[in-house]
Amino acid sequence: MKKMLALVAVVALVAFAAPAFAANPFMDVPMNHWAYDAVGQLAARGVVSGYPDGSYKGNQPMTRYEMASLVARALAVVDMNKASKQDVEMLKKLVVEFKDELDALGVKVDKLDSRVAVLEENLGGWKLWGEFRFDAKFADEKGGLYTDNEDVDFDLNRYRIWMSKKVDDKVTFIARLGKGEGTNVAWQRYYIDVKMPWDVNMWAGLWLFDWEGDDGLYTDNDARFTDRSLQGFYFAKPFSMGEFALYAARKDTNTTVTGFDTLVQFDDDGNIIDEMDNVAGIQLAADEYYEYAGRVKFNFNENFWMSGNYIKRDYEVSEDESVWWAAMGVHFNPEWAFKGAYYKEDLGNVTGEDKPGAWQAILDVDQEALGFTSVWIEYMDFDENFKAWTDGPWDDYGTVTGKALGNYDNVLFVRLNQKWNDKWSTFQRYLSGSARGTGVLVDDTTNWTFGVKYYYTPALSFELAYDKIENSMTVNGLDDNVVRLRTRVTF
């Protein structure tokens, strides 16, 4: 086999992992030769080394040993994230063809086979993984802050089955079938992940994004505005100091609600002939909207980052609303971090403050720093009418604050975690919410939790916790407590 022709097969294997252009180190490969760039790329990756005199001798026949050596070196530099199905198939054939020569060269063919198998696993077939959570709750109140109708619930909290398939070297399909508490089985995610030109990544379909989670701005139940599933298009592009991201999504619904509205009758020419207000029983379509957003994050160095985030909802019926926030983080060392954010909403046209703001400060200390516990101390201050879009940020066990965060002047939240070994850990939570209003019907909210978690196997865990809420959502006397046993399996 001519060396140059053999090179064609090998370069096809590693070209996706090699620099696009590389200087050719061999004097006997002229720049106008058709294989000049290919030889240069392979030399840059260490796949070909030439002869001791610095020549390549491309016109000489290649021995099977030389070809086997090329295959072994090519396999070492294949990038499984960039390899295509055709690349792996070619690699398998070459390993089988030169098995004896590779053995003679001392190359561990079994390891090569394992390497090819890993590549194949990532390329072919479907990958499945999932999660199962089951809760047994013993509450003080029937249909209170923790349970639906009775004071005891034995409920599936969630199950999720993820699946993905690498369609080709640029497209991956991802989906999740699942069921949450009080919901039906549904496709909760379905989208394609596409590698676009200029290192841009695109999602199209029903996907989830969590910019607040990416910045580490919450540790309990949920984010304020992100960690939501949307249907649309999401684009992200990393750069040397951070990342740009933007998306356009649409909230459609086929559901209608019964309510009161204005009934208008028109003649054939479209002129209003009658108009009646507050007509009961009219089926109203739920409000639909477009949602647009953009984000940029800068990592100035390993210890300091900043991000800017903006989301707008363009409703078909209601007033538009939007939110922006700027966040920053400082790592004093690997164990101590300070994070903060300032939020500003535009609610359109509501009674009272229609452009409420909020600010948040977090001290996050790893257990390594103190030896026996980690520490999360979070303080958040709100304007009137400030609200969360996603869920109650601290409603991990029951309804503590809900989404109407503007009912509070401020909230202090503390969480401690102690990992004793690979099997056992304990935790404590405490929240104090200062009510904005006054009067006999309003009071400050208090929530505290003690819990222990045990891993029976690395995949199966049990968590036993006691949680108590006083004056939920600032409603005086709205109290409840629960003992919750959660069983969780990941697979």
Side-chain angles (χ1 to χ4, degrees):
M1 182 183 293
K2 289 289 187 181
K3 181 176 283 186
M4 287 298 185
L5 293 177
L7 188 63
V8 174
V10 178
V11 76
L13 293 176
V14 297
F16 43 79
F21 299 98
N24 195 312
F26 308 114
M27 298 180 61
D28 59 341
V29 181
M31 291 189 65
N32 59 354
H33 194 280
W34 62 270
Y36 179 86
D37 288 338
V39 173
Q41 291 177 29
L42 294 179
R45 301 294 298 180
V47 178
V48 297
S49 56
Y51 291 90
D53 62 358
S55 64
Y56 182 67
K57 301 186 189 322
N59 292 324
Q60 289 186 5
M62 173 178 268
T63 67
R64 289 181 60 86
Y65 286 106
E66 288 175 323
M67 187 63 193
S69 177
L70 279 179
V71 172
R73 292 178 181 179
L75 184 58
V77 300
V78 167
D79 185 341
M80 69 174 62
N81 292 321
K82 297 179 180 178
S84 68
K85 185 176 182 179
Q86 291 74 22
D87 296 328
V88 176
E89 288 298 324
M90 183 184 296
L91 189 57
K92 286 175 61 180
K93 291 179 181 177
L94 289 171
V95 170
V96 172
E97 173 66 24
F98 295 99
K99 182 178 184 301
D100 293 339
E101 288 77 10
L102 290 167
D103 281 334
L105 290 170
V107 176
K108 300 294 184 183
V109 177
D110 291 344
K111 291 185 177 179
L112 293 183
D113 289 339
S114 300
R115 168 76 167 153
V116 173
V118 171
L119 290 169
E120 211 167 21
E121 181 183 352
N122 282 275
L123 294 172
W126 289 87
K127 295 180 64 177
L128 298 174
W129 68 99
E131 178 187 10
F132 169 86
R133 294 199 318 207
F134 185 80
D135 287 347
K137 293 183 283 190
F138 306 88
D140 187 55
E141 301 287 340
K142 291 185 177 180
L145 301 174
Y146 303 99
T147 54
D148 292 330
N149 297 312
E150 302 298 328
D151 56 352
V152 177
D153 274 352
F154 277 49
D155 280 342
L156 173 73
N157 178 263
R158 72 168 53 156
Y159 77 72
R160 295 170 172 174
I161 299 176
W162 285 90
M163 58 200 73
S164 73
K165 180 176 177 59
K166 193 175 178 67
V167 180
D168 55 36
D169 59 336
K170 294 183 178 178
V171 181
T172 301
F173 173 77
I174 302 163
R176 188 179 86 187
L177 182 67
K179 182 181 185 309
E181 189 174 12
T183 63
N184 297 321
V185 176
W187 289 103
Q188 299 171 330
R189 307 274 191 284
Y190 45 82
Y191 64 97
I192 55 172
D193 184 337
V194 184
K195 299 182 186 303
M196 307 287 285
W198 301 294
D199 209 19
V200 173
N201 210 64
M202 182 191 77
W203 299 340
L206 177 62
W207 33 263
L208 179 140
F209 77 113
D210 189 3
W211 293 343
E212 290 160 284
D214 294 343
D215 287 345
L217 296 177
Y218 70 96
T219 189
D220 205 58
N221 183 55
D222 224 328
R224 284 75 179 164
F225 302 100
T226 60
D227 194 22
R228 291 181 291 117
S229 299
L230 299 173
Q231 291 190 103
F233 300 89
Y234 185 99
F235 299 90
K237 176 178 172 55
F239 59 93
S240 60
M241 295 177 61
E243 179 185 84
F244 292 113
L246 57 88
Y247 67 77
R250 167 81 179 172
K251 179 64 175 178
D252 289 319
T253 177
N254 296 320
T255 61
T256 56
V257 295
T258 301
F260 296 82
D261 202 359
T262 300
L263 177 63
V264 182
Q265 293 180 309
F266 300 89
D267 61 19
D268 294 338
D269 297 325
N271 301 312
I272 296 175
I273 58 176
D274 195 8
E275 185 171 351
M276 296 175 288
D277 293 331
N278 296 323
V279 178
I282 289 180
Q283 295 295 311
L284 302 174
D287 207 353
E288 299 178 338
Y289 58 87
Y290 286 99
E291 186 168 311
Y292 313 97
R295 160 184 168 87
V296 60
K297 182 173 183 178
F298 290 95
N299 298 304
F300 294 93
N301 52 51
E302 293 182 352
N303 300 322
F304 180 59
W305 60 265
M306 293 186 69
S307 72
N309 311 265
Y310 176 78
I311 305 175
K312 180 178 181 180
R313 285 178 173 175
D314 186 0
Y315 288 95
E316 292 189 349
V317 178
S318 306
E319 292 283 345
D320 296 345
E321 60 180 340
S322 64
V323 61
W324 65 262
W325 69 97
M328 55 82 69
V330 179
H331 286 269
F332 303 108
N333 57 47
E335 290 83 29
W336 290 77
F338 174 80
K339 293 170 277 192
Y342 178 78
Y343 303 82
K344 192 73 171 180
E345 294 186 288
D346 187 346
L347 304 179
N349 190 11
V350 300
T351 302
E353 178 59 68
D354 66 346
K355 292 182 173 55
W359 61 269
Q360 176 187 29
I362 300 166
L363 178 64
D364 186 6
V365 184
D366 193 84
Q367 183 170 335
E368 295 294 326
L370 303 176
F372 67 99
T373 186
S374 66
V375 178
W376 175 284
I377 302 175
E378 176 180 358
Y379 179 85
M380 197 161 183
D381 187 277
F382 308 99
D383 288 342
E384 177 191 9
N385 288 335
F386 190 86
K387 65 176 185 177
W389 289 6
T390 305
D391 206 349
W394 302 283
D395 296 359
D396 202 9
Y397 291 83
T399 306
V400 182
T401 64
K403 296 181 181 180
L405 304 180
N407 289 339
Y408 297 91
D409 286 324
N410 55 70
V411 163
L412 172 67
F413 175 74
V414 179
R415 181 175 178 115
L416 309 175
N417 290 285
Q418 303 86 36
K419 182 178 179 180
W420 303 106
N421 51 50
D422 291 338
K423 295 284 188 181
W424 292 94
S425 62
T426 51
F427 61 92
Q428 303 83 41
R429 297 167 67 253
Y430 173 76
L431 179 141
S432 175
S434 178
R436 178 174 303 281
T438 59
V440 295
L441 301 178
V442 178
D443 205 348
D444 297 343
T445 299
T446 302
N447 172 218
W448 50 273
T449 317
F450 292 97
V452 57
K453 191 169 186 177
Y454 171 69
Y455 279 90
Y456 180 67
T457 71
L460 172 62
S461 66
F462 301 96
E463 179 186 291
L464 181 64
Y466 175 78
D467 188 87
K468 182 176 178 59
I469 302 172
E470 296 177 349
N471 307 315
S472 166
M473 299 178 290
T474 73
V475 178
N476 188 13
L478 188 52
D479 304 343
D480 204 353
N481 62 79
V482 70
V483 174
R484 188 184 81 180
L485 175 63
R486 167 166 290 177
T487 303
R488 179 174 185 259
V489 176
T490 57
F491 52 93

